Amino acid sequence: MYDVKSKKAEEFIDHEEILDTLSYADANKNNEEVINAIIEKAKKRKGLNHREASVLLACELEEKNQEIYKLAEQIKLDFYGNRIVMFAPLYLSNYCVNGCTYCPYHLKNKHITRKKLTQEEIKNEVIALQDMGHKRLALEAGEDPMHNPMEYILECIQTIYSIKHKNGAIRRVNVNIAATTVENYRKLKEAGIGTYILFQETYHKESYLTLHPTGPKHDYCYHTEAMDRAMEGGIDDVGLGVLFGLDKYRYEFAGLLMHAEHLEATYGVGPHTISVPRLRNADDIDIRTFTNGISDEIFAKIVACIRISVPYTGMIVSTRESKECREKVLRLGISQVSGASKTSVGGYAHPEEEEENSEQFDVSDKRTLDEVVKWLMELGYLPSFCTACYREGRTGDRFMELCKSQQIQNCCHPNALMTLKEFLVDYASNSTKKIGDQMIEKELAKIPSEKVRQIVLEHIEAIENGTGNDFRF
Ligand code: SAM
């Protein structure tokens, strides 16, 4: 029985409820009256439930689809302005005891190079990342209680935060590691992590069991209930995601929104972010053997429908996607992108030799961070290296309050400008700096409060003169 507030995976992600939702969406995908009513509701910017959103995703009326895209663009602008938050993944270890059929880290893969970073190697990776200009990381690791126990992850987090190289600093460490216990989530919270990210991979239980045939990740309920345990452990910024390409995208989309509704209904705070990874080729993984791949068009529609369904939830797209695809989905709702990512273990400090292969998957966007930042600004976006919210204790519902109180223009926007300025002064090429400085001058005018604008101006001057940095509201 479907129960949004239940703590049992199979009740808040109820299979029958998803099937009913998909039938309802099919029955109404050409019903203009129903679709109009849902679009009108979405215009109120309070979001949509999984049933309503599924109708829009299924909608076949071209004119209505264009309205959906337009609304997604408008909501994106209203909630996030032109800011795009930057981050990079950092792979700690690819030792893994699971048997995931889509991931080259699976236990039976004997020809992948297994690596686990020492604290000294982490230091080198972090310096390489700081020297590009990164301030925010997402830690990645395979699941292996022997090689990568929680103590190892906690030690890595401590090392990362401690490294100060020139003006560099990693100011926010998000963590994307396997589902774990309440006690371990508490330890991660105490270590000062930002968001705990865990992709569901697929919400379809039967497929999940086949795709994860062996290892602790085989336990569908333990994996699906991970965010509940994370919340119980005090982590109130959690990031959801499914790996598109594993099962039918409409099923995954409904499941993803039901998961978001469950968190909101149970803990009063929805997911902080939603990621939209798509399956990629990798060492011994050939995506042609998976039959549920989605086109760029469907991918864009998924992003637009998520955007209008959960306006307060940030949306992340990685370098799995090409420059062209990223450009399209940035407009429709993405608020965070990675840049210059390496999915190999140790790959930032030491690019891998040909015979080594510790990568998790092939990245599509291989540009440098400077190129990505410049490209974003040329498209009119404001790249932001801001990490202020969680450092100021604005997590969970306190972050949501900031969004709802319309203070974003007086808070996030200035923080974006000041952190972009740091990037321009410390790491950018001359041509990027030139475009960036022009952009900052133009964007300063958008700060509503005269007083805040004056403070930001002073801070920006201090950054330029080298007399101060790390300012934040
Ligand atoms: N081991 C952890 C877990 O169980 O969630 C950490 C996550 S893993 C390092 C990061 C994510 O990469 C996975 O959750 C999965 O969605 C994604 N991934 C795995 N194989 C992939 C592939 N071939 N293409 C694209 N993404 C993949």
Side-chain angles (χ1 to χ4, degrees):
M1 264 291 275
Y2 177 47
D3 177 1
V4 68
K5 281 194 176 180
S6 165
K7 302 246 172 108
K8 292 198 182 120
E10 286 170 279
E11 291 178 359
F12 66 80
I13 306 291
D14 177 59
H15 178 61
E16 289 304 319
E17 173 61 21
I18 299 186
L19 295 185
D20 277 359
T21 299
L22 298 185
S23 313
Y24 176 73
D26 267 331
N28 288 293
K29 64 188 176 194
N30 291 308
N31 185 337
E32 209 169 328
E33 209 177 310
V34 169
I35 292 166
N36 279 339
I38 298 172
I39 293 178
E40 282 314 304
K41 183 178 173 195
K43 283 184 183 162
K44 297 199 174 100
R45 286 153 171 68
K46 296 241 156 56
L48 295 175
N49 64 37
H50 59 279
R51 282 198 171 224
E52 296 157 340
S54 293
V55 173
L56 296 192
L57 185 64
C59 170
E60 288 179 340
L61 305 172
E62 188 43 34
E63 205 183 307
K64 295 294 137 194
N65 281 334
Q66 290 312 318
E67 269 185 56
I68 293 167
Y69 287 128
K70 234 175 97 193
L71 182 59
E73 278 188 42
Q74 197 52 52
I75 290 181
K76 157 91 199 286
L77 265 177
D78 293 348
F79 283 75
Y80 301 88
N82 57 350
R83 290 179 304 284
I84 300 290
V85 168
M86 311 299 302
F87 79 99
L90 172 57
Y91 281 76
L92 300 178
S93 165
N94 63 2
Y95 283 92
C96 193
V97 296
N98 286 314
C100 315
T101 58
Y102 51 87
C103 177
Y105 290 176
H106 66 89
L107 185 64
K108 285 198 183 137
N109 189 351
K110 298 295 177 212
H111 49 87
I112 195 167
T113 315
R114 299 285 171 179
K115 291 185 186 173
K116 171 187 169 181
L117 297 179
T118 62
Q119 299 309 307
E120 193 53 33
E121 286 166 333
I122 287 176
K123 196 172 155 199
N124 296 336
E125 287 291 273
V126 170
I127 288 176
L129 284 156
Q130 289 183 2
D131 278 346
M132 285 185 230
H134 277 296
K135 300 280 189 269
R136 175 189 290 243
L137 300 183
L139 296 194
E140 311 278 341
E143 179 169 13
D144 187 328
M146 270 259 294
H147 287 94
N148 325 324
M150 185 51 68
E151 291 65 36
Y152 169 70
I153 306 287
L154 296 171
E155 193 186 356
C156 295
I157 296 171
Q158 213 179 18
T159 302
I160 293 166
Y161 278 134
S162 74
I163 296 164
K164 303 277 180 291
H165 170 72
K166 299 185 182 161
N167 278 347
I170 298 303
R171 299 173 181 157
R172 178 174 177 131
V173 176
N174 297 332
V175 173
N176 181 5
I177 58 166
T180 185
T181 59
V182 174
E183 195 191 329
N184 280 340
Y185 285 124
R186 201 162 282 130
K187 290 180 184 165
L188 285 169
K189 173 76 184 172
E190 280 160 14
I193 69 158
T195 312
Y196 171 66
I197 301 165
L198 181 69
F199 300 156
Q200 177 62 32
E201 319 301 7
T202 175
Y203 283 97
H204 193 288
K205 185 177 176 192
E206 221 179 284
S207 301
Y208 183 97
L209 296 178
T210 317
L211 289 158
H212 306 95
T214 53
K217 197 164 172 174
H218 180 71
D219 188 337
Y220 173 84
C221 293
Y222 189 75
H223 188 81
T224 312
E225 292 159 9
M227 296 313 190
D228 295 77
R229 292 193 300 281
M231 290 276 184
E232 217 183 302
I235 299 177
D236 48 5
D237 279 352
V238 298
L240 303 181
V242 289
L243 185 53
F244 285 103
L246 295 183
D247 205 294
K248 305 267 184 303
Y249 71 92
R250 287 175 54 201
Y251 191 101
E252 305 294 20
F253 176 83
L256 190 58
L257 289 184
M258 283 164 74
H259 202 170
E261 285 162 29
H262 163 67
L263 296 176
E264 174 86 49
T266 316
Y267 306 100
V269 46
H272 189 67
T273 54
I274 289 181
S275 299
V276 286
R278 270 199 289 187
L279 196 59
R280 298 278 304 166
N281 278 326
D283 182 62
D284 66 344
I285 309 297
D286 180 350
I287 54 170
R288 287 172 305 185
T289 60
F290 292 81
T291 52
N292 291 312
I294 53 171
S295 65
D296 286 356
E297 284 66 36
I298 289 174
F299 186 63
K301 188 151 186 211
I302 290 171
V303 169
C305 289
I306 294 177
R307 181 66 300 136
I308 65 179
S309 304
V310 281
Y312 293 110
T313 300
M315 239 198 286
I316 304 177
V317 79
S318 73
T319 55
R320 290 179 183 86
E321 301 300 331
S322 67
K323 170 176 174 255
E324 290 70 30
C325 179
R326 295 201 327 155
E327 193 161 324
K328 194 164 172 183
V329 292
L330 273 167
R331 219 180 49 238
L332 295 171
I334 297 298
S335 55
Q336 247 189 72
V337 300
S338 46
S341 305
K342 289 279 189 323
T343 69
S344 49
V345 182
Y348 292 109
H350 301 289
E352 291 199 320
E353 303 291 328
E354 211 142 88
E355 66 278 9
E356 288 179 297
N357 59 337
S358 73
E359 276 182 1
Q360 195 187 22
F361 51 81
D362 298 342
V363 299
S364 180
D365 186 339
K366 295 186 164 59
R367 292 173 295 167
T368 64
L369 185 61
D370 184 72
E371 285 167 338
V372 173
V373 166
K374 187 173 175 208
W375 162 75
L376 285 171
M377 294 190 298
E378 283 168 347
L379 293 172
Y381 294 108
L382 175 62
S384 172
F385 292 86
C386 178
T387 54
C389 270
Y390 108 96
R391 295 165 81 207
E392 293 292 322
R394 291 189 298 260
T395 61
D397 53 357
R398 278 151 295 168
F399 167 75
M400 295 298 168
E401 270 165 34
L402 174 83
C403 299
K404 291 174 189 166
S405 67
Q406 312 281 308
Q407 276 308 305
I408 283 199
Q409 278 302 99
N410 275 323
C411 195
C412 304
H413 194 65
N415 287 339
L417 294 177
M418 294 186 294
T419 54
L420 174 61
K421 183 68 187 179
E422 288 183 336
F423 177 83
L424 298 177
V425 170
D426 291 332
Y427 308 106
S429 62
N430 288 340
S431 60
T432 303
K433 183 163 191 313
K434 193 167 160 216
I435 299 176
D437 281 336
Q438 285 165 358
M439 179 157 211
I440 289 176
E441 205 179 310
K442 205 172 82 202
E443 293 288 329
L444 273 167
K446 291 190 191 163
I447 300 174
S449 156
E450 172 71 44
K451 199 172 136 206
V452 173
R453 203 175 327 127
Q454 199 47 46
I455 297 172
V456 175
L457 248 172
E458 283 163 22
H459 290 343
I460 282 179
E461 267 172 36
I463 296 166
E464 178 76 56
N465 302 334
T467 53
N469 71 2
D470 199 13
F471 301 107
R472 61 180 184 266
F473 287 96

